[in-house]
Amino acid sequence: MSQDLRRPFFPDVAQVSAVATGICVYNHRIAEKVWQALDTDGDGTVGTAELRAGIESGLVEAHYIMGTDFFTTTNMLLLSNTQPFTLTALALGMMLTFRTQNCNARYTEARALWGSMINESR
């Protein structure tokens, strides 16, 4: 990977992506174990009755957010407060915007210098 591509993406974006990926993988593995525990009849699918039994036993918590049902467990890595994500998203957005503006300014300056070189050489 060239230095021009590496500098804007690493280490900031790569670090945030690695942490988010790790949390997703961990939650997926926990969900697989819960899925197997909920599948009481062994057919490979979790029916409505099995899901209701899991909710009643406390194995699964049901959440209804923005028109979608979410099922979580107590072992999953979740935050009840989204403020850390909001603060880091704002900082990451500002950093990426600043870097994009810097790159755009360098491109505009290089284009102006190239145009003046072409005009001088005529």
Side-chain angles (χ1 to χ4, degrees), residues 3 23 27 103 112:
Q3 183 66 22
I23 289 173
N27 284 344
C103 292

Side-chain angles (χ1 to χ4, degrees), residues 105-122:
R106 279 192 241 152
Y107 170 75
T108 304
E109 181 184 4
R111 193 170 154 211
L113 290 172
W114 184 262
S116 65
M117 273 180 25
I118 295 296
N119 289 338
E120 289 292 324
S121 67
R122 289 182 185 171

Side-chain angles (χ1 to χ4, degrees), residues 34-113:
V34 170
W35 183 272
Q36 291 171 357
L38 286 176
D39 185 21
T40 55
D41 57 4
D43 64 349
T45 61
V46 176
T48 307
E50 294 169 323
L51 189 57
R52 281 193 187 123
I55 292 171
E56 289 172 3
S57 69
L59 185 61
V60 178
E61 297 172 8
H63 304 280
Y64 185 77
I65 301 171
M66 296 177 62
T68 306
D69 291 324
F70 290 96
F71 301 102
T72 61
T73 67
T74 56
N75 294 338
M76 287 185 169
L77 294 176
L78 299 172
L79 291 177
S80 60
N81 187 358
T82 60
Q83 188 175 6
F85 290 116
T86 306
L87 293 175
T88 56
L90 178 66
L92 188 62
M94 295 296 282
M95 179 199 65
L96 290 175
T97 301
F98 176 73
R99 287 185 176 183
T100 302
Q101 287 176 347
N102 264 353
C103 292
N104 195 15
R106 279 192 241 152
Y107 170 75
T108 304
E109 181 184 4
R111 193 170 154 211
L113 290 172

